[in-house]
Amino acid sequence: MALPNKSTHGKLSATQSLGLVAGIISLPYASHNSKRTLKRIITDSAMRHVFSTLSPAQICAAAGTDLVMYEQWTKNNKQLKTIDELGDDAKLLWIGPKRLDRVVLFFHGGAFLLPCADFMVSFWRHVQLELEKQNIEVGFAVLSYSLAPYAVFPTRLKQARLALDFLFAAGVKPQNLQLVGDSAGGNLILQVLSQVMHPLASVPEIRLPGPLRGAFLISPWVSLSATSKSHTENDGRDIFTRRTLAAWGAEILKDTPPSDNAYVEAVRAPEDWFAGVERLVDRVLISSGGVELLRDDIVAFGEAFKKHHKETELVVQKDGLHEDMYFDFVLGEKKLSSLTPLTVEWLAAGFSAEPSA
């Protein structure tokens, strides 16, 4: 899920500060942290503390909007600022050069409550540069969508449709388009696939000219209820607590009609909900952290999804947290998560291989 940007400066009370320090002291001795640097451990703990003590509104007030983050990131990294207005408050924010021959469309996480974080953009810029080393030039576009509680389901689904329509109209071929989404962004990818197969009358039709080349769901938020065993088992290890995740999920579910829950809680969708999904996307990668709260729900969903899509790979990162690879880019870690080269290799294979007929 999206986190406060690196530039966020909040003030903690003395009690909060003592709690944070006390928690950090014991963390280096935890088995799941054995291969992490101290600064990475401190960063993870600080993120969990922020999420436990600040409301989404307070985090947004400190972090700013997608646009504020993007303008600062492009300035700091000496990159061109390229923005496409999609209408209905949606935008595409391009990372690096705008390219249309091959495109990765990124749906960011944040429980639909928080904006995109700058280190997420830094991660995808790193992936973009690694692909360029293999002579694979790719345009990376971030969908800036409306946040809850001001926008409710199916607002983001409508905005994702606008992004796809824009790219197809601009000449992007579906076999040269890969979707990536973390947490709520992975949820949004599943909403898109669900809408194509089970159209909601309240959402304009999503037309795919052909199968998309790929979809990568990073720690997808497939259950908003926070009731699985891993939510208890990994409480205190992940970047947020079970209580936080349950509160965020309740915020989204309260404005979602019960009849539409399959669109936002994929793990609870009917058994045959994703039957036929192979016709919509050639290949799918689903990742989870081994010690993240969502692990059991992601694995259950992944195994069920694989029954409908034979070209689906489910990866559980040993000792990984929620969206683990991102946090190496918060403070510029030199040793990167195993998911980072996997992401590069998977996207490269998609753009290099022959698409389905």
Side-chain angles (χ1 to χ4, degrees), residues 136-149:
I136 303 174
E137 295 188 340
V138 181
F140 278 71
V142 182
L143 173 62
S144 176
Y145 54 73
S146 301
L147 300 178

Side-chain angles (χ1 to χ4, degrees), residues 86-90 92 143 157-167:
L86 305 178
D88 291 344
D89 198 35
L92 285 183
L143 173 62
L157 177 54
K158 293 178 180 178
Q159 293 171 320
R161 170 193 164 273
L162 289 174
L164 290 169
D165 283 355
F166 177 90
L167 292 174

